[in-house]
């Protein structure tokens, strides 16, 4: 009988078992977390419901309700089920901004962060750093430094990204981790290297001389990660913008070199930087021809990237853009409306009477 | 995040690239959504209004990318699901595109290539974990779908009967009935 009713209810809500969830009922269900032994699957479903409600954002949790749910969730640390533990971390992160006294889980998370289970460690670091304030940060500093240079790439990335988030509230403390981050830039793992570069560059934001050193060193030993290369191009471009003497020439050369990279993301990043930096139309030629190629791509995001950057160039170098008129005209009837609009406005800004006729 | 970059100038050297990610159903309703920049669409109301607008402009034309309300949104759809990744309009579109590819591919592997609403809702916990593994507070955390799925899909398959969901029990009952009739 109950099967039938459940089935009917599911059909009524269009087959979404999470529709029509009620906050008070879920919070009551969360009391089930107190039971021992823990039933991982059932608890996972309840946590999913809580996260779904938070994600929908319509039924707001009061501080008291969030705290209640948070404390119920902490009971689940007694289970060793990996999936459940991961959902617990996720819930901790989502509830941490709403609930009170969230630091109560610090010791549980520190234990997981330094434990043997790799699947716990990375996620535990991220959860821990989301509940930690700058006063507590010192207590976990040693573990964070270790995690940054950990062999496991997920652990290392988690620590680096968390450090980056923390640097907005505790810049001085995080700056002390820069040595470890520096070491992680040369990691074999592309994401670790990207995150490490982000942390190091962030810690040197106001120190031009050391940024110069960093960019000069890395430009010579090309990074493997396309994301990291994009970031390095941005850093190099900033140095060129601040200093247009001959000293900036090596950075320009590095960026131009990236135009021949195999990743489209890096090629575009380089072309965009050059278009915004170079002063004469002749210097621009290699970048413009890359953007011209993008305009003829089968991928809409490439066409948009190409057309948008060319559109920006019209103010500075209308002649350089005029050379791409034919490519832009092809885009007027583009199935993507953003691309078509950009092409039309660019042509109107650069076009001579002769091209209007065509 | 402070936006110092002006229109027509260089990209900002930051790791905070993703402004939001969401999955909508074929009525434009939110299944999952995360916004990472507190200056961009701070309230649930604004977010949902944006999602409606985004959905109306994109659900018919599968045009991959759109510029809307100061954001660049890349998107992809399948059967009754729509995947979106949002970034600032002063951002490298191809980076956003790579995040979308990661998101879609990870979910696709998680759902064993059945990328549709019903299957996604049955695996909502794993998809939530995947979301969390792809982007952390606006920073791209991982771009490799296999490693993301490896960390999100951790469920042991053999579940005792008492812990199966109603749908699973019905499904296995159906199978058994089918086979007994075929005999």
């Amino acid at each position: 009988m109950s099967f039938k009713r459940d089935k009917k209810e599911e059909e009524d809500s269009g087959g979404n078992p999470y529709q029509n969830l009620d906050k008070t009922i879920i919070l009551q269900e969360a009391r089930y977390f107190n039971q021992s032994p823990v039933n991982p699957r059932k608890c996972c479903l309840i946590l999913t419901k809580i996260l779904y409600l938070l994600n929908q954002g319509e039924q707001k949790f009061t501080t008291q309700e969030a705290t209640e749910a948070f404390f119920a969730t902490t009971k689940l640390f007694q289970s060793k089920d990996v999936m459940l533990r991961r959902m617990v971390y996720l819930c901790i992160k989502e509830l941490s901004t709403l609930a009170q006294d969230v630091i109560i889980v610090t010791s549980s998370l520190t234990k997981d962060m330094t434990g043997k289970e790799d699947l716990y460690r990375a996620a535990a670091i991220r959860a821990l750093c989301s509940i930690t304030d700058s006063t507590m940060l010192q207590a976990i500093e040693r573990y964070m430094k270790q995690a940054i240079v950990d062999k496991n790439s997920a652990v290392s990335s988690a620590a680096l990204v968390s450090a980056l988030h923390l640097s907005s509230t505790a810049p001085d403390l995080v700056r002390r981790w820069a040595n470890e981050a520096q070491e992680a830039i040369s990691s074999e793992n592309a994401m670790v290297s990207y995150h490490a570069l982000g942390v190091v560059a962030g810690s040197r934001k106001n120190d031009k001389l050391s940024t110069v050193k960093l960019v000069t060193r890395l430009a010579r030993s090309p990074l493997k990660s396309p994301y990291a290369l994009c970031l390095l191009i941005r850093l190099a471009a900033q140095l060129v913008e601040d200093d247009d003497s001959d000293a900036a020439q090596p950075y320009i050369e590095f960026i131009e070199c990236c135009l021949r990279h195999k990743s489209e993301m890096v090629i575009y990043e380089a072309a965009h930087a050059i278009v915004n930096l170079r002063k004469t139309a002749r210097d621009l030629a290699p970048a413009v021809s890359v953007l011209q190629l993008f305009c003829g791509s089968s991928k809409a995001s490439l066409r948009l990237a190409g057309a948008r950057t060319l559109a920006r160039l019209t103010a500075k170098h209308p002649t350089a853009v005029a050379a791409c008129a034919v490519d832009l005209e092809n885009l007027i009837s583009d199935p993507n409306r953003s691309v078509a609009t950009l092409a039309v406005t660019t042509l109107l800004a650069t076009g001579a009477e002769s091209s209007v006729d065509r | 995040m402070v936006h110092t970059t002006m229109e027509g100038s260089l990209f900002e050297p930051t790791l905070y690239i993703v402004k939001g990610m969401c999955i909508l159903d074929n009525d434009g309703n939110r299944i999952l959504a995360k916004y990472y920049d507190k200056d961009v669409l701070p309230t649930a109301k604004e977010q949902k209004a944006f999602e409606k607008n985004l959905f109306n402009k994109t659900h018919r034309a599968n045009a991959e990318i759109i510029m809307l309300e100061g954001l660049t949104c890349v998107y992809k759809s399948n059967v009754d699901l729509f995947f979106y990744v949002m970034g600032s309009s002063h951002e490298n579109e191809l980076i956003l595109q790579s995040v979308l590819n990661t998101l879609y591919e990870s979910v696709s592997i998680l759902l064993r290539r059945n990328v549709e609403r019903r299957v996604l809702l049955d695996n909502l916990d794993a998809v939530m974990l995947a979301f969390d593994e792809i982007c952390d507070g606006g920073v791209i955390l991982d771009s490799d779908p296999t490693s993301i799925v490896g960390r999100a899909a951790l469920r042991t398959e053999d579940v005792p009967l008492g812990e199966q969901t109603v749908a699973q029990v019905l499904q296995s009952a159906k199978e058994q009935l089918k086979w007994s009739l075929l005999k």
Side-chain angles (χ1 to χ4, degrees), chain B residues 50-127:
Chain B
F50 174 78
E51 283 161 24
K52 275 275 178 270
N53 189 11
L54 183 62
F55 180 76
N56 288 335
K57 292 226 162 46
T58 54
H59 77 286
R60 264 169 312 216
N62 207 351
E64 296 175 44
I65 185 164
I66 186 171
M67 299 185 61
L68 194 68
E69 298 179 28
L71 291 172
T72 299
C73 315
V74 288
Y75 62 100
K76 188 176 169 69
S77 66
N78 191 24
V79 195
D80 49 7
L81 288 175
F82 292 78
F83 296 77
Y84 298 88
V85 171
M86 283 79 82
S88 143
S89 54
H90 311 291
E91 193 41 80
N92 183 332
E93 292 88 343
L94 307 185
I95 295 183
L96 298 175
Q97 184 71 52
S98 81
V99 178
L100 177 70
N101 294 345
T102 306
L103 173 65
Y104 186 84
E105 188 59 22
S106 307
V107 172
S108 175
I109 300 173
L110 273 177
L111 307 184
R112 300 198 170 78
R113 304 288 168 197
N114 298 312
V115 183
E116 45 189 300
R117 182 168 168 273
R118 180 75 244 190
V119 189
L120 187 135
L121 288 170
D122 285 342
N123 295 280
L124 193 61
D125 44 4
V127 176

Side-chain angles (χ1 to χ4, degrees), chain A residues 148-216:
Chain A
I148 288 173
V149 289
D150 198 275
K151 283 195 295 294
N152 184 298
S153 58
V155 171
S156 182
S157 273
L160 286 161
V161 173
S162 301
L164 194 70
H165 296 326
L166 290 169
S167 63
S168 64
T169 50
D172 295 335
L173 193 58
V174 174
R175 213 167 283 141
R176 294 216 297 267
W177 309 349
N179 281 339
E180 282 76 13
Q182 179 89 43
E183 198 178 313
I185 294 181
S186 47
S187 162
E188 281 297 303
N189 182 285
M191 291 319 282
V192 172
S193 149
Y194 170 56
H195 296 138
L197 178 58
V199 171
V200 174
S203 73
R204 298 180 178 191
K205 213 181 336 192
N206 302 317
D207 180 356
K208 195 168 162 224
L209 198 65
S210 66
T211 306
V212 166
K213 271 190 201 154
L214 179 73
V215 175
T216 312

Side-chain angles (χ1 to χ4, degrees), chain A residues 9 17-33 42 45-47 49-50 53 59-61 65 68-69 72:
Chain A
E9 275 170 8
Y18 300 101
Q19 213 160 47
N20 307 323
L21 285 182
D22 184 70
K23 187 175 70 173
T24 43
I25 295 175
I26 308 288
L27 287 171
Q28 237 155 31
E29 279 186 47
R31 292 193 187 146
Y32 178 80
F33 295 163
K42 201 166 166 185
L45 183 65
I46 299 171
L47 286 179
K49 287 180 183 171
I50 295 176
L53 268 190
Q59 304 177 47
K60 289 241 165 37
F61 282 55
E65 287 165 340
E68 202 181 304

Side-chain angles (χ1 to χ4, degrees), chain A residues 125-304:
Chain A
I125 290 172
R126 293 167 54 212
L128 182 59
C129 290
S130 74
I131 61 156
T132 305
D133 58 19
S134 44
T135 52
M136 310 248 313
L137 209 52
Q138 257 154 343
I140 58 162
E141 186 176 359
R142 188 164 57 95
Y143 303 122
M144 286 297 285
K145 281 182 169 180
Q146 276 168 11
I148 288 173
V149 289
D150 198 275
K151 283 195 295 294
N152 184 298
S153 58
V155 171
S156 182
S157 273
L160 286 161
V161 173
S162 301
L164 194 70
H165 296 326
L166 290 169
S167 63
S168 64
T169 50
D172 295 335
L173 193 58
V174 174
R175 213 167 283 141
R176 294 216 297 267
W177 309 349
N179 281 339
E180 282 76 13
Q182 179 89 43
E183 198 178 313
I185 294 181
S186 47
S187 162
E188 281 297 303
N189 182 285
M191 291 319 282
V192 172
S193 149
Y194 170 56
H195 296 138
L197 178 58
V199 171
V200 174
S203 73
R204 298 180 178 191
K205 213 181 336 192
N206 302 317
D207 180 356
K208 195 168 162 224
L209 198 65
S210 66
T211 306
V212 166
K213 271 190 201 154
L214 179 73
V215 175
T216 312
R217 184 171 65 85
L218 292 174
R220 270 191 306 239
S221 59
L223 296 156
K224 277 189 208 114
S225 154
Y227 292 129
L229 262 180
C230 286
L231 182 58
L232 191 61
I233 291 171
R234 290 180 192 192
L235 291 167
Q238 235 180 18
L239 292 176
V240 180
E241 202 181 37
D242 293 346
D243 174 10
D244 52 3
S245 70
D246 285 345
Q249 195 54 34
Y251 307 129
I252 293 270
E253 277 164 21
F254 160 70
I255 297 173
E256 280 180 342
C257 189
C258 289
L259 283 174
R260 294 186 291 276
H261 196 267
K262 59 181 190 303
S263 158
E264 283 160 344
M265 181 196 298
V266 177
I267 299 172
Y268 172 59
E269 188 76 43
H272 183 273
I274 292 170
V275 160
N276 284 292
L277 288 173
R278 287 327 269 294
K279 305 271 184 319
T280 69
R282 201 167 53 89
D283 288 342
L284 284 171
V288 170
S289 58
V290 162
L291 296 172
Q292 218 171 340
L293 274 178
F294 276 16
C295 288
S297 166
S298 61
K299 294 179 199 156
S301 51
L302 258 76
R303 295 200 301 276
L304 183 73

